[in-house]
Amino acid sequence: MKIVITGANGFVGAALCRYFYEQGHTILAVGRQAKSHPNLAAVAEYLPADITQSLPPFRADVCIHAAALASDTATYQDLHQHNVIGTRQVLAAARHCEYFVQISSSSVYQFGQVPAKETSATLAANLSPYGKTKLLADNLVAENIRAGQKRIVLRPRAIYGIGDRVLLPRLLGMVKRNIVVHPVPAQISTSLTHVDNIAYAINLFLRQTSQPALQIYNVADAPVYNLRQSILQLLAAVYQQELKVCSIPVSLLKLLADLNKIVPFSAKLNPLVLNTLTQNAVLDISAIRENLGYQPQNDFKSVYPQIAAWLRGVGGLNYYLNNLAQMPWEIGEKFAVKAS
């Protein structure tokens, strides 16, 4: 198959390019940068394009839309432009594709004490600006499906893996002089999604023998994780030592977040970050298991040592943090795809 992948310079898009190249498919990678990274050029044709503008029709079998603006500090207008208008433009360009895959987000849910089901996503909930624009984009994917086209929306939670430049820097930012300063209560449970589990889910979708026009699924690792324990395991592996822990009371953090609304002093101290660290965020993945036969093999316990090894392999923490933009393709020789 020929597969178009938007957001090819980002973490998820890059991982999908590598995965489907290894599966033997022809890849057309779409990204905003004028030139592609050499490692991308080795596995894909590259199309520089701004998805918020009109795009040429994609002549391909599959379109995987992984491009998005995920930011705690971006304005709603910018988020809407990239995530809603951008999705509309990509849908128009993909009108001749037999399959369309939307990489959405668990931010479309207002989490509670029970795992979130696909049907619980609603614009009436108290969503972050990012979550609202991702749900609006999902709604676009559900509309005006041409005859014969099959579409799927996948909603991952806290995507991690080799090449990550979003989640990992936030976790590294918790470490100050070998002390982990964090507000995560001991009992918080969360779903996590290894990036290759997303690719695996897409593969299952493409291999379905009978498909409805639209499918919407949560996608995550099989285990539910203790968030605090997972963070400490990864950071200890990265720094190659046990780190001291300084816990911040959630009540104090909420007070600081409220003060930050009145007199802003930190862009990182916002409701989205606060909710991520202090609330259960578990996805119900029973639907994707039942309908796609989803049985993910990648999990955090087996992968976090690889992430630590990758960081050392690409030049260490300082190099990583100073070169985040290229990290999705700076995967190191050990993890690199070999071009044919």
Side-chain angles (χ1 to χ4, degrees), residues 154-234:
L154 295 174
R155 293 171 176 163
R157 173 69 186 171
I159 308 169
Y160 69 96
I162 303 299
D164 170 30
R165 66 178 184 187
V166 177
L167 180 61
L168 186 55
R170 294 179 181 181
L171 300 183
L172 295 175
M174 293 181 176
V175 180
K176 309 294 182 184
R177 296 183 179 179
N178 297 328
I179 298 174
V180 184
V181 181
H182 72 89
V184 181
Q187 72 276 15
I188 295 299
S189 297
T190 188
S191 293
L192 300 173
T193 308
H194 187 275
V195 68
D196 283 353
N197 286 336
I198 299 175
Y200 164 61
I202 296 171
N203 226 357
L204 292 173
F205 164 65
L206 297 177
R207 293 179 178 181
Q208 272 184 304
T209 55
S210 178
Q211 300 162 307
L214 176 68
Q215 299 175 78
I216 301 176
Y217 298 121
N218 295 330
V219 57
D221 298 357
V224 172
Y225 302 98
N226 178 283
L227 180 58
R228 176 173 175 156
Q229 182 182 40
S230 298
I231 291 173
L232 295 179
Q233 284 176 329
L234 174 60

Side-chain angles (χ1 to χ4, degrees), residues 87-293:
T87 298
R88 180 180 290 123
Q89 299 288 12
V90 174
L91 281 166
R95 57 188 176 273
H96 299 300
C97 297
E98 184 178 356
Y99 302 97
F100 186 91
V101 180
Q102 166 82 348
I103 307 300
S104 184
S105 169
S106 64
S107 294
V108 302
Y109 301 119
Q110 185 173 353
F111 284 102
Q113 294 304 308
V114 299
K117 293 181 176 290
E118 292 82 353
T119 53
S120 65
T122 171
L123 291 170
N126 183 27
L127 303 178
S128 68
Y130 170 70
K132 183 176 181 180
T133 59
K134 290 300 287 184
L135 185 51
L136 287 171
D138 291 357
N139 292 344
L140 287 177
V141 176
E143 299 172 355
N144 303 317
I145 304 175
R146 72 162 178 80
Q149 188 178 63
K150 307 300 181 184
R151 297 181 182 178
I152 189 170
V153 175
L154 295 174
R155 293 171 176 163
R157 173 69 186 171
I159 308 169
Y160 69 96
I162 303 299
D164 170 30
R165 66 178 184 187
V166 177
L167 180 61
L168 186 55
R170 294 179 181 181
L171 300 183
L172 295 175
M174 293 181 176
V175 180
K176 309 294 182 184
R177 296 183 179 179
N178 297 328
I179 298 174
V180 184
V181 181
H182 72 89
V184 181
Q187 72 276 15
I188 295 299
S189 297
T190 188
S191 293
L192 300 173
T193 308
H194 187 275
V195 68
D196 283 353
N197 286 336
I198 299 175
Y200 164 61
I202 296 171
N203 226 357
L204 292 173
F205 164 65
L206 297 177
R207 293 179 178 181
Q208 272 184 304
T209 55
S210 178
Q211 300 162 307
L214 176 68
Q215 299 175 78
I216 301 176
Y217 298 121
N218 295 330
V219 57
D221 298 357
V224 172
Y225 302 98
N226 178 283
L227 180 58
R228 176 173 175 156
Q229 182 182 40
S230 298
I231 291 173
L232 295 179
Q233 284 176 329
L234 174 60
L235 293 176
V238 168
Y239 286 91
Q240 297 183 290
Q241 62 178 307
E242 291 297 323
L243 300 170
K244 296 179 180 180
V245 178
C246 176
S247 298
I248 303 174
V250 175
S251 57
L252 174 60
L253 196 69
K254 289 181 177 179
L255 175 61
L256 292 173
D258 288 339
L259 292 174
N260 195 45
K261 293 178 184 178
I262 301 171
V263 182
F265 55 85
S266 173
K268 296 180 180 180
L269 192 59
N270 59 72
L272 176 59
V273 173
L274 182 64
N275 291 340
T276 298
L277 295 176
T278 62
Q279 294 183 358
N280 289 336
V282 178
L283 293 174
D284 184 326
I285 60 171
S286 58
I288 194 171
R289 285 184 178 276
E290 180 179 351
N291 297 326
L292 285 187

